[in-house]
Amino acid sequence: MQDDLEIMADGDGVSVHSGFPNPAADQRGRRTGLALDLNRLLVQHPSSTYLFRVSGHHAAAESIYDGDVAVVDRLPTARRGDLVVSWQDGSLRLCRQHQLLPEDSIWGVVTAVIHQYR
Amino acid sequence: MQQPVFALIDCNNFFVSCERLFRPDLEGRPVVVLSSNDGCVVSRSGEAKALGIPMGAPAFKYRQLFNREGVVRFSANFELYGDVSERITRLLTRVTPRTEVYSVDESFLDLSRLDITDYDAWGRQVRDRLLREVGIPVAIGIAPSKTLAKLASEHAKTNARLEDVLDLARLPSEECELYLLRTPLKDIWGIGGRLKPRLQAEGLHNALDIARLPMRRAGQLMGVHGRQLVAELNGQVCHPLETFGRVRQTIMKGRMFGEDTNRFDVIEAAIASLTARATFYLRREGLAALGASLSLSTDRHKPNYRRQQQVIRFNAPTADTGRITAGLVTAAEEAFSPGFRYHRANVLLYDLVPEQSLQPDLFGEVDPEHQRSTRARLHALDAVNERYGRGALRYAAEDLSQAWHPRQQLRSPRYTTDWNELPEVYV
């Protein structure tokens, strides 16, 4: 993962990896043994990235379907046109940044939506 | 040589903050998190504290108040807290690899070698990043020693004017002394309940009183530990960052009972609590144990002193709190004799090996996914154990020993560790 690689690069001789509370974290993505790790493609910032399950049928026009997995990053600043998760009227909702009202707060920016066909 | 500077990053009401991450509606409402069998309160939001709910409050005693005041209750969600804690660690380790994870919600950072001129601004930046990126509010104390950094973080947390960050490293000494003066004994790192009454009897009531003790007197009152405490409060480093890579030979945790006991349930509770603490360090250092021992002793200053020791071996290295606890409890049953009044219990883990070589399954394959979820659970359990270790929860281990089959009626979804429990976003 990007973060972990940077830690190794930044290290000043102190062994970070042995000190991690959960060494298994390093194993993420290695399970499949594939050279191309989808985590690397989909997750730019592991610390700030959370996964959500899409619920509802009102975004089919945008090719986002009930049951899809949304990859949501809290780090980036939302720009016009970005798909965001925001807190609206008591629930977390998916919409475009420019559709927000001033009282809505942004939870994170959607960086990918995963739709599985089978 | 650079002047040493440490930061303590302390997550506010960590468990409650984790629960609020996917439930923004809980902002501003009183929220408590209960121990794994819903027995007692282990984390409280500010609003819950304001209602007078103490740490460790038994849930059944406060049921009426909970209902009357609309207090939102959760069962401890180990997986969630462990995962969020790991995210924080990862972020902090990017800030500097010289990071010591002190507990699930507290980390020390050694800033001495970083090129920082304005520590206060640096602290605010780290606070903002953790809130924005991980979604967890923290308080940050910065000072020339770990004890002072911890003290500073207490003020940063409770004094609204400081807005979550206090830098004692760059403060003129008169101002620094004011903070020490306003720090009661209970908020000083390393002064436990046992020591407090003795110090108060000596007319010592705050951190400044302790800091001004002559070394000789500190030694008389509190032993070697007391001399170090005085030095640390004066900005001299006695507790450096616990460095990694030093492979331990054994890990020992011991405890005296509140009063001598012949009750097996109390001993069992102590075993579970001590084992959880010992395995916390075991896992933190990436180790697993092949052997464990338990010793139970009566008061050596009373007649018929007796010490019993039981040793157990595991067929594969383990860092599993539940497994080691179960083994030691069985061993204790054999050794236990109701005719004695036990004074002290020690748990020792030995034959430690690196965890990487862990648990291949029947086919010799390691399933990292499974191990990860087990470890996340264990690391989060460490959190609860930390609470018990620090707090005055006497039957803590009853909760811990049942943590493997928890009731958890009020547990929130495992939002970040289970594909079937992801938070929902609506369209």
Side-chain angles (χ1 to χ4, degrees):
Chain A
M1 255 166 299
Q2 218 154 315
D3 276 6
D4 295 341
L5 288 173
E6 287 182 36
I7 294 161
M8 287 166 75
D10 289 345
D12 58 354
V14 178
S15 167
V16 175
H17 290 269
S18 62
F20 263 3
N22 188 345
D26 294 345
Q27 297 291 329
R28 277 191 244 189
R30 289 198 194 154
R31 192 185 187 198
T32 56
L34 293 177
L36 295 177
D37 179 357
L38 283 172
N39 276 328
R40 280 180 171 247
L41 179 72
L42 296 171
V43 181
Q44 285 136 38
H45 310 107
S47 296
S48 57
T49 298
Y50 294 91
L51 303 180
F52 283 73
R53 185 74 65 183
V54 174
S55 176
H57 302 271
H58 297 292
E62 301 223 42
S63 304
I64 298 170
Y65 303 98
D66 189 59
D68 284 358
V69 171
V71 181
V72 180
D73 192 348
R74 293 174 59 91
L75 178 59
T77 305
R79 293 190 298 250
R80 188 177 170 81
D82 274 340
L83 203 55
V84 298
V85 170
S86 71
W87 180 245
Q88 300 174 16
D89 311 324
S91 62
L92 290 166
R93 305 194 78 88
L94 202 64
C95 69
R96 295 282 167 189
Q97 186 266 345
H98 56 263
Q99 295 171 324
L100 293 173
L101 299 178
E103 65 262 33
D104 302 335
S105 61
I106 294 181
W107 198 95
V109 174
V110 178
T111 55
V113 175
I114 305 164
H115 179 77
Q116 279 187 291
Y117 290 92
R118 53 177 290 178
Chain B
M1 212 183 121
Q2 300 111 323
Q3 189 202 347
V5 182
F6 294 92
L8 179 69
I9 320 288
D10 186 358
C11 303
N12 307 336
N13 333 314
F14 179 57
F15 298 171
V16 167
S17 299
C18 291
E19 296 293 348
R20 279 174 167 166
L21 181 55
F22 298 102
R23 291 281 308 274
D25 56 305
L26 298 176
E27 251 2 283
R29 295 173 62 186
V31 180
V32 296
V33 173
L34 306 172
S35 56
S36 61
N37 66 350
D38 299 345
C40 51
V41 175
V42 293
S43 182
R44 306 162 294 158
S45 71
E47 298 79 6
K49 288 174 192 168
L51 289 172
I53 300 167
M55 191 66 168
F60 74 90
K61 269 197 187 170
Y62 283 82
R63 191 155 295 140
Q64 277 191 326
L65 181 110
F66 288 160
N67 291 337
R68 190 175 66 235
E69 304 288 345
V71 177
V72 183
R73 281 155 281 179
F74 288 100
S75 305
N77 184 345
F78 298 143
E79 270 108 312
L80 175 64
Y81 311 151
D83 181 75
V84 174
S85 170
E86 206 174 277
R87 286 163 184 267
I88 293 169
T89 304
R90 199 181 302 146
L91 193 151
L92 292 177
T93 316
R94 286 190 71 188
V95 172
T96 169
R98 299 184 60 75
T99 296
E100 173 191 344
V101 179
Y102 179 69
S103 72
V104 82
D105 55 0
E106 290 168 295
S107 292
F108 284 107
L109 269 59
D110 180 355
L111 309 183
S112 320
R113 296 197 213 166
L114 297 186
D115 188 19
I116 303 171
T117 44
D118 186 344
Y119 288 109
D120 185 77
W122 173 89
R124 287 176 200 287
Q125 210 182 338
V126 170
R127 174 202 58 171
D128 292 349
R129 280 195 65 188
L130 286 167
L131 185 58
R132 178 191 178 98
E133 297 178 30
V134 185
I136 296 297
V138 298
I140 300 182
I142 301 162
S145 70
K146 279 161 98 175
T147 305
L148 282 174
K150 174 100 175 135
L151 184 151
S153 80
E154 286 296 329
H155 287 282
K157 194 156 49 172
T158 50
N159 185 341
R161 195 176 50 80
L162 297 172
E163 293 178 330
D164 311 319
V165 178
L166 175 58
D167 167 26
L168 293 179
R170 288 283 175 275
L171 220 54
S173 60
E174 314 87 66
E175 282 182 55
C176 209
E177 285 182 356
L178 274 178
Y179 283 107
L180 291 181
L181 185 67
R182 288 192 223 121
T183 307
L185 294 182
K186 71 174 172 57
D187 287 344
I188 303 174
W189 194 34
I191 292 195
R194 300 177 72 87
L195 213 47
K196 211 179 96 181
R198 251 174 60 205
L199 296 174
Q200 280 169 334
E202 294 287 324
L204 306 168
H205 298 287
N206 58 56
L208 191 60
D209 292 341
I210 303 290
R212 286 184 172 161
L213 276 179
M215 279 299 170
R216 228 179 102 82
R217 188 82 192 106
Q220 286 164 350
L221 282 169
M222 299 176 276
V224 183
H225 158 82
R227 303 180 70 235
Q228 292 190 325
L229 179 60
V230 170
E232 283 250 322
L233 285 174
N234 285 294
Q236 289 166 25
V237 177
C238 299
H239 306 299
L241 204 73
E242 273 194 32
T243 48
F244 310 126
R246 169 177 53 93
V247 175
R248 293 198 196 212
Q249 301 304 306
T250 60
I251 293 175
M252 210 271 280
K253 293 287 160 197
R255 175 185 284 178
M256 272 183 286
F257 298 112
E259 52 190 54
D260 294 357
T261 184
N262 60 355
R263 285 176 50 186
F264 191 72
D265 61 337
V266 174
I267 289 169
E268 196 179 18
I271 292 170
S273 169
L274 292 171
T275 306
R277 267 167 64 203
T279 49
F280 173 84
Y281 287 97
L282 191 66
R283 288 192 290 272
R284 196 176 71 173
E285 304 203 359
L287 299 172
L290 271 163
S293 84
L294 168 75
S295 83
L296 292 170
S297 51
T298 63
D299 192 340
R300 70 168 76 229
H301 301 299
K302 289 181 184 164
N304 304 322
Y305 170 67
R306 189 179 165 108
R307 182 168 178 274
Q308 298 156 319
Q309 187 161 23
Q310 296 281 313
V311 175
I312 55 173
R313 300 281 303 172
F314 305 105
N315 40 21
T318 181
D320 188 322
T321 313
R323 195 166 159 213
I324 300 174
T325 303
L328 290 176
V329 166
T330 310
E333 275 170 346
E334 286 169 27
F336 176 74
S337 155
F340 296 110
R341 296 186 70 79
Y342 294 96
H343 184 66
R344 190 180 172 88
N346 287 337
V347 165
L348 176 82
L349 305 179
Y350 65 95
D351 275 1
L352 309 183
V353 298
E355 201 180 16
Q356 279 84 340
S357 54
L358 258 187
Q359 295 171 2
D361 67 12
L362 282 177
F363 304 99
E365 284 181 3
V366 177
D367 180 352
E369 202 66 26
H370 171 73
Q371 282 198 18
R372 192 186 121 63
S373 86
T374 308
R375 284 184 208 169
R377 177 169 55 92
L378 292 171
H379 284 298
L381 189 73
D382 293 340
V384 175
N385 179 47
E386 277 282 301
R387 301 267 168 230
Y388 290 127
R390 246 182 276 159
L393 306 183
R394 293 198 54 195
Y395 296 108
E398 287 181 359
D399 296 332
L400 286 164
S401 58
Q402 286 173 28
W404 310 97
H405 310 285
R407 280 230 309 270
Q408 297 206 322
Q409 289 172 344
L410 310 162
R411 184 180 59 72
S412 54
R414 286 167 290 200
Y415 298 110
T416 59
T417 58
D418 191 317
W419 286 108
N420 297 314
E421 300 183 20
L422 297 184
E424 293 200 322
V425 60
Y426 298 93
V427 288

